[in-house]
Amino acid sequence: MTYDCEVAVVGAGMFGAAAGKHLSRAGADVVIIGPAEPRAGDPVSQHSFGAHFDEARITRRLGWDPVWEMTDARSQERYRDIENESGISFFHECGSLVLMANSIAHRTNAILDQCAAAGIAVDQLSEEDLRGQFPDLGLPPMEGGVMGLLEREQAGYLNPRRLVSAQLTLATAAGARLVRGTATGVERVPGGWLLRTDGAGCPPRIRAERVLVATGAFTNVNNVLPVSHQLDLRAFTEPNLLFEVHPEQLDRLRMLPSVVTVDPADTGDANTSLYLLPPIRYPDGKWYMRCGPGMQPLVEELRTVEEMVSWYSNQKITARQMAFLTTMTHLMVPNLKPVSVREACCIIEKTPSRYPYIGHVDEDFAVVVGGNGHGARGSDEIGRLASTIVLGEPWDCPIPHDVFAPLTASPAVDERGERPDFLKPPFGLC
Ligand SMILES: Cc1cc2nc3c(=O)[nH]c(=O)nc-3n(C[C@H](O)[C@H](O)[C@H](O)COP(=O)(O)OP(=O)(O)OC[C@H]3O[C@@H](n4cnc5c(N)ncnc54)[C@H](O)[C@@H]3O)c2cc1C
């Protein structure tokens, strides 16, 4: 049996689900193909990893990058509509706090200027203000002291599982067919593309006039790109620690906003950038505070599919990552007395442009990949832009389309024989 459709969206994650919704709402006949979330104990493969299988992703509009600010703000404006239309809530408006070192006042000012231009309300909090408003929050040692930037409204965290579910609900309500399986190969055929697929209850082939690939970190290694197409996309370890919160501390700690710290140097082993989520209820019924690093040397590149699968399936962070995240969490929440501590290993993918790729790599074959570690919050707009590209509609975005142009793989080594490092700091806010 073969399914025929106008557009096949490969990947039912954060970008694919959003794109599928916008495509079907625009009237296209859409099939979205992607596996359901693996159950605990299922073997991990390059097709089953998803960065959305979690309970929280920080969301805010504040930043110093106009491109991310645009995708984040446009998406955030639609969160409540998505919740209301799908009947699935996912957005927790607990506020977002960014702690900046006073020695990088130029960066703080750039953020404030951008917020003012975009009409984003931000409170500037001195160390004294921070201690007064968030008595449970410790302040990390930062050059010249700490300045807090607090976005109280339209900021906090979102539940990525539930957002994807909401988008898929809206996509199917608009006529999209959701196929639970994986694409395992693709070839050009007259009038479009043929996808080979695998999965119980999934047609063995899908013939589509156009294809949009939205398969995240494993895109280069999961056989979903036409032969000889490889994207400049690199995968990195994203180590997290989850601190189980004691019930007696829950009410107080739940008052915290999501927190990001920005290290002045943004480089070197002494870099202390990190993110911290307030207590969040996980599927095991327990409440955890989750912390992870900014982009640092201890965030290591995963160079092969074997390294990626092994990092994700072992769920074991390195001793160095463990030491850093433990020390920093105790600095940030000095009174935290965790009942237990759990490790979690995820993967983020980076592009040299630092922006998602939204565009064609072949005739009628487009991609939307490259969340760069912060694609969740802007995913609705990123998916919408991908849908306009696939349908050939005019580009209705203030950021030029070139900014999102997919780049094909760069040479493994440069003219000096060194691996090109497109990941030089500063990395911006995670
Ligand atoms: C630990 C961690 C913390 C993060 N924190 C934040 C944050 O605070 N704020 C924020 O905005 N972002 C954050 N991000 C980033 C955000 O989660 C990602 O940018 C976003 O999920 C990327 O969406 P995507 O659709 O490209 O990929 P994914 O969400 O990973 O979706 C890809 C989908 O493709 C499917 N797939 C793969 N291969 C195939 C195949 N062959 N056939 C069919 N389907 C396939 C997968 O199963 C998956 O469902 C974080 C990421 C991680 C890992």
Side-chain angles (χ1 to χ4, degrees):
M1 188 178 61
T2 304
Y3 271 21
D4 284 300
C5 63
E6 195 180 341
V7 184
V9 178
V10 184
M14 304 226 68
F15 293 172
K21 176 190 75 174
H22 288 289
L23 282 161
S24 43
R25 284 187 164 181
D29 168 28
V30 178
V31 169
I32 305 171
I33 172 163
E37 177 167 358
R39 285 161 306 179
D42 281 356
V44 176
S45 81
Q46 73 257 46
H47 307 291
S48 64
F49 167 83
H52 53 101
F53 302 141
D54 195 12
E55 297 296 307
R57 297 284 178 258
I58 292 176
T59 182
R60 57 155 197 276
R61 293 174 297 161
L62 178 158
W64 57 65
D65 185 301
V67 178
W68 286 105
E69 195 272 323
M70 185 278 301
T71 53
D72 296 351
R74 285 187 168 194
S75 299
Q76 238 142 233
E77 279 160 18
R78 302 195 284 259
Y79 284 177
R80 293 299 183 206
D81 287 344
I82 298 172
E83 289 185 322
N84 291 335
E85 290 163 5
S86 65
I88 298 174
S89 62
F90 59 84
F91 176 36
H92 300 261
E93 202 172 6
C94 61
S96 148
L97 177 65
V98 178
L99 299 179
M100 305 285 296
N102 280 330
S103 61
I104 45 170
H106 61 289
R107 293 177 82 177
T108 310
N109 292 338
I111 293 176
L112 291 169
D113 288 349
Q114 188 174 305
C115 288
I120 302 168
V122 180
D123 291 353
Q124 289 183 64
L125 304 181
S126 65
E127 290 191 9
E128 202 184 330
D129 299 333
L130 287 164
R131 286 197 191 94
Q133 293 196 29
F134 303 111
D136 288 302
L137 190 68
L139 300 182
M142 284 184 151
E143 231 170 64
V146 180
M147 165 65 74
L149 301 181
L150 179 65
E151 203 181 336
R152 291 180 195 275
E153 289 174 7
Q154 290 191 48
Y157 64 91
L158 59 82
N159 182 316
R161 270 193 184 106
R162 291 179 65 87
L163 173 53
V164 167
S165 204
Q167 300 283 38
L168 292 175
T169 299
L170 296 177
T172 48
R177 283 173 282 172
L178 175 62
V179 170
R180 286 306 190 184
T182 57
T184 54
V186 61
E187 66 186 272
R188 192 115 185 68
V189 291
W193 295 89
L194 189 71
L195 292 166
R196 283 184 300 284
T197 55
D198 186 28
C202 165
R205 286 175 302 276
I206 296 174
R207 195 166 37 221
E209 290 167 32
R210 300 165 210 185
V211 174
L212 176 65
V213 164
T215 51
F218 282 79
T219 298
N220 272 335
V221 290
N222 61 2
N223 311 325
V224 292
L225 295 175
V227 178
S228 82
H229 286 65
Q230 288 279 286
L231 297 169
D232 207 347
L233 190 72
R234 295 195 196 160
F236 292 83
T237 61
E238 183 66 16
N240 278 185
L241 280 185
L242 286 98
F243 295 83
E244 184 188 344
V245 178
H246 194 283
E248 279 173 14
Q249 294 199 302
L250 190 57
D251 284 349
R252 281 184 70 105
L253 296 177
R254 282 184 74 191
M255 306 305 283
L256 289 172
S258 61
V259 186
V260 172
T261 70
V262 182
D263 182 79
D266 249 351
T267 185
D269 286 349
N271 182 327
T272 60
S273 298
L274 95 158
Y275 57 86
L276 182 70
L277 276 302
I280 286 158
R281 194 159 194 232
Y282 271 70
D284 64 3
K286 297 175 182 169
W287 294 78
Y288 295 90
M289 293 192 77
R290 187 166 60 81
C291 94
M295 201 61 200
Q296 298 152 10
L298 58 76
V299 171
E300 289 154 13
E301 186 170 353
L302 297 163
R303 297 184 181 214
T304 64
V305 64
E306 290 79 17
E307 282 181 7
M308 292 168 79
V309 169
S310 153
W311 162 259
Y312 188 60
S313 48
N314 290 340
Q315 291 293 307
K316 192 100 198 93
I317 71 177
T318 66
R320 201 162 149 232
Q321 294 166 341
M322 170 74 86
F324 170 77
L325 294 174
T326 306
T327 307
M328 284 306 293
T329 303
H330 287 302
L331 263 177
M332 301 290 295
V333 197
N335 296 326
L336 182 66
K337 308 259 179 307
V339 179
S340 67
V341 182
R342 192 149 65 84
E343 300 169 45
C345 297
C346 198
I347 298 175
I348 54 170
E349 66 287 356
K350 294 262 167 189
T351 63
S353 62
R354 297 177 188 172
Y355 301 125
Y357 294 149
I358 308 173
H360 284 95
V361 293
D362 205 331
E363 197 184 346
D364 295 323
F365 199 106
V367 295
V368 55
V369 293
N372 282 270
H374 37 221
R377 54 184 170 262
S379 55
D380 190 59
E381 178 63 8
I382 291 167
R384 193 192 69 83
L385 291 172
S387 89
T388 65
I389 288 295
V390 169
L391 297 176
E393 289 172 348
W395 181 255
D396 59 348
C397 168
I399 308 288
H401 181 211
D402 289 359
V403 168
F404 300 100
L407 302 171
T408 43
S410 54
V413 290
D414 65 16
E415 59 285 355
R416 287 169 302 164
E418 288 172 11
R419 191 165 167 80
D421 183 8
F422 57 68
L423 296 165
K424 287 209 161 46
F427 296 109
L429 292 167
C430 49

